[in-house]
Amino acid sequence: MMSILSSVGRIATRYSAARARYRSERALLSLPIELRKDIGWPEIVIDAQNSPRIGLAP
């Protein structure tokens, strides 16, 4: 029983972290591109096979 609870806890922690990261990315992506460049936020790279990914700006 304890193993199941610890597994659920780990899954919940990972889900919470992923949601926080997603919210942060959305907030940063809503900023104007000039401001994103000033703070060093990476550019978006569109991959034809996958969804848009965050990549490092040159």
Side-chain angles (χ1 to χ4, degrees):
M1 182 69 166
M2 193 61 161
S3 176
I4 293 172
L5 291 178
S6 62
S7 294
V8 170
R10 281 193 304 273
I11 291 169
T13 300
R14 277 189 259 152
Y15 177 77
S16 177
R19 289 290 303 154
R21 185 173 51 251
Y22 175 74
R23 283 192 305 270
S24 297
E25 285 182 5
R26 285 197 53 190
L28 287 168
L29 290 173
S30 70
L31 297 172
I33 194 162
E34 297 84 14
L35 187 56
R36 284 185 279 166
K37 284 183 179 180
D38 288 344
I39 62 174
W41 182 250
E43 68 182 39
I44 300 212
V45 177
I46 304 296
D47 184 353
Q49 294 177 347
N50 298 314
S51 61
R53 302 261 183 230
I54 304 298
L56 295 177

